[in-house]
Amino acid sequence: MISLITVSAATAQSDIAVTQLTLDHCRTLALQNNKQMKIGNEKVKAAGYQKKEAFAAYLPAIDFTGSYIYNQKKLALFDSDQMLPTKSFDIKTGKYEYNLVTNPETGMPVKGPDGQYVPSTVAMIPKEAMEFDIHNVFFGAVTLTQPIYMGGKIVAMNKLTGYAEELAREMRDNEAQNVIYAVDAAYWQVVSLNAKHELAVSYVNLLDSLDRNVGLMLEQGVATRSDKLSVDVKLNQAQIDLVKVNNGLALSKMALAQICGLPINDSYTVYDDLTEVSTDAEIATRYNMEEVYSRRHDLKALGLGVKIAGQEKKVAMSAMLPNVALVGAYSFMNPNSYDGFKNKFGGAFSVGVAVTIPIWHWGGNYNKYRAARSQQTIMQLQLEDAKEKIDLQVSQAAFKAQEALKTYEMTIANLGKADENLRTAQIGFREGVVTADDVMEAQTAWLKANSEKIDASIDVHLCDVYLSKVLGTLNQ
């Protein structure tokens, strides 16, 4: 039964208190508190917002534009008063004729010094009548733009952002597996050093017991001073090794706490030990690689990258196609000229269609398209290369897992022999037929066998996790 009592997580997301950490608990804490996982979650959100932004391009855009301008002078159409000739209706001709000054003697129109006929009557337009106050000009417009055909760019961008959102999720899940693998490595390192600490304590106790026995034998004259010194040196070295193991254990627990987001100085224990490692599970030598590909988040991310590159190619293609949009607007200004020229606001609606047809850009748009096409080819080649590397990765991981199990089985056998050798040496020492050096040699062999068994059992766990990771079956 796991006790969940005192140690609290460092972040606000973790309100679980623990004194004993299980592997699953460590994984949960790490996934909650890991900064890269938080970054991954934010990237998923950002990709979702970009997807919504791309969808908005299907809908009409409504904008408002306003401006104000101050002008120093008024607008004048004439530089002076204008004298315009007039016409009268002539019954004889049935037409309007200019009213001109005539010579009383001849009755002919009179010309002025400039060679133009002199009108007898004029209509005067004062200069002030054609001046307009434009000191303060206000303008505003509400426009509506509805895309009709953008060369396929809007459709491509919506697909692209959809793939980008999936890509962000796959990258986040891939990072989650990396975090889990790091947690497992740190967790089993703590378990390993716990076991080695217990082993070091047992080894010190063995040497301490031998040291006392040799001391008694020295007092009785059946052992030499050299025997006692040899055991003392071995005991001192074992005590130094015990201190090193304690320091290593403390540092490894700090590392695990940091990965889990716990205060690094908190005291805790781990639930697992190395009392038993199952060797019944058989490791396959061949796998259905298509299923492996479908489970690998990094490979799915590369596949999405190929799709994104394909949509980017379509976006580049759209720059060479016509764009059609419906445009509507309501514009208003002051002064306005809709009904004379008055210093008040007046406005009107307008509707039209805007068409843009690319004609010649010196190959710029086409080269952009070709670059996008090459990028898609690059992404496809990267995907194929990754599949080949995954094939090798799976084969190597399976081989290492098999090798770890075989090594563990051999260390179990060696440990049994080392236990029997130590037992025999201790009996022989008590009977006086075996020297202290022989006992210490047997103890050293026993220590080595136990240490190798600990390392092998840890290797079994880590190889199993790594195999699950490369197969895409690592449980998150």
Side-chain angles (χ1 to χ4, degrees), residues 228-248:
K228 182 68 168 62
L229 290 174
S230 296
V231 177
D232 287 342
V233 169
K234 203 73 171 180
L235 177 59
N236 288 338
Q237 184 60 49
Q239 290 171 338
I240 292 173
D241 292 340
L242 178 58
V243 172
K244 291 180 179 179
V245 171
N246 283 332
N247 292 337

Side-chain angles (χ1 to χ4, degrees), residues 101 109-119:
V101 175
V110 177
K111 290 184 178 181
D114 58 357
Q116 299 295 325
Y117 291 107
V118 179

Side-chain angles (χ1 to χ4, degrees), residues 202-221:
S202 299
Y203 184 56
V204 168
N205 290 336
L206 285 174
L207 286 171
D208 187 59
S209 176
L210 179 62
D211 186 62
R212 288 196 303 271
N213 290 334
V214 172
L216 293 175
M217 293 171 66
L218 180 62
E219 292 176 0
Q220 295 173 2

Side-chain angles (χ1 to χ4, degrees), residues 455-475:
D455 292 337
S457 59
I458 292 296
D459 199 32
V460 168
H461 287 293
L462 293 180
C463 286
D464 179 64
V465 174
Y466 182 68
L467 180 59
S468 298
K469 182 176 182 293
V470 300
L471 291 175
T473 58
L474 186 60
N475 183 17

Side-chain angles (χ1 to χ4, degrees), residues 39-287:
I39 291 173
N41 289 329
E42 290 302 318
K43 286 182 177 180
V44 172
K45 291 181 182 179
Y49 297 143
Q50 290 173 341
K51 182 179 178 181
K52 292 179 179 179
E53 176 191 358
F55 179 78
Y58 283 120
L59 306 176
I62 301 175
D63 300 288
F64 170 78
T65 302
S67 64
Y68 165 77
I69 299 174
Y70 172 77
N71 297 295
Q72 178 186 5
K73 297 181 179 180
K74 293 182 178 181
L75 178 65
L77 298 183
F78 305 132
D79 60 349
S80 62
D81 295 341
Q82 299 298 305
M83 304 298 181
L84 302 180
T86 62
K87 286 184 176 183
S88 298
F89 186 76
D90 190 339
I91 298 177
K92 295 178 181 180
T93 62
K95 297 179 181 179
Y96 282 95
E97 301 291 344
Y98 282 105
N99 298 315
L100 301 175
V101 175
T102 59
N103 189 327
E105 297 178 358
T106 62
M108 298 300 292
V110 177
K111 290 184 178 181
D114 58 357
Q116 299 295 325
Y117 291 107
V118 179
S120 60
T121 60
V122 294
M124 187 185 75
I125 303 177
K127 176 179 179 294
E128 292 78 7
M130 299 304 291
E131 288 182 348
F132 304 100
D133 181 8
I134 59 168
H135 287 306
N136 299 290
V137 178
F138 300 89
F139 173 81
V142 178
T143 59
L144 181 147
T145 305
Q146 172 61 61
I148 298 175
Y149 178 70
M150 295 287 114
K153 177 169 61 179
I154 296 178
V155 175
M157 286 301 298
N158 273 270
K159 289 183 179 180
L160 188 153
T161 53
Y163 293 144
E165 185 179 23
E166 292 181 42
L167 174 62
R169 288 197 183 97
E170 295 298 339
M171 294 300 293
R172 179 195 61 188
D173 293 342
N174 187 62
E175 181 61 29
Q177 290 203 341
N178 293 335
V179 170
I180 289 173
Y181 184 70
V183 168
D184 283 28
Y187 181 87
W188 290 113
Q189 177 72 9
V190 173
V191 173
S192 170
L193 289 172
N194 270 334
K196 288 189 176 182
H197 173 263
E198 295 176 2
L199 177 61
V201 170
S202 299
Y203 184 56
V204 168
N205 290 336
L206 285 174
L207 286 171
D208 187 59
S209 176
L210 179 62
D211 186 62
R212 288 196 303 271
N213 290 334
V214 172
L216 293 175
M217 293 171 66
L218 180 62
E219 292 176 0
Q220 295 173 2
V222 294
T224 65
R225 181 68 178 169
S226 177
D227 293 335
K228 182 68 168 62
L229 290 174
S230 296
V231 177
D232 287 342
V233 169
K234 203 73 171 180
L235 177 59
N236 288 338
Q237 184 60 49
Q239 290 171 338
I240 292 173
D241 292 340
L242 178 58
V243 172
K244 291 180 179 179
V245 171
N246 283 332
N247 292 337
L249 178 59
L251 293 174
S252 64
K253 291 178 76 172
M254 288 181 185
L256 178 60
Q258 189 274 329
I259 293 175
C260 294
L262 298 171
I264 60 174
N265 293 320
D266 274 7
S267 177
Y268 65 87
T269 61
V270 292
Y271 176 73
D272 292 277
D273 56 33
L274 298 177
T275 56
E276 183 177 346
V277 174
S278 175
T279 58
D280 296 333
E282 294 186 3
I283 299 173
T285 56
R286 288 190 176 185
Y287 296 91

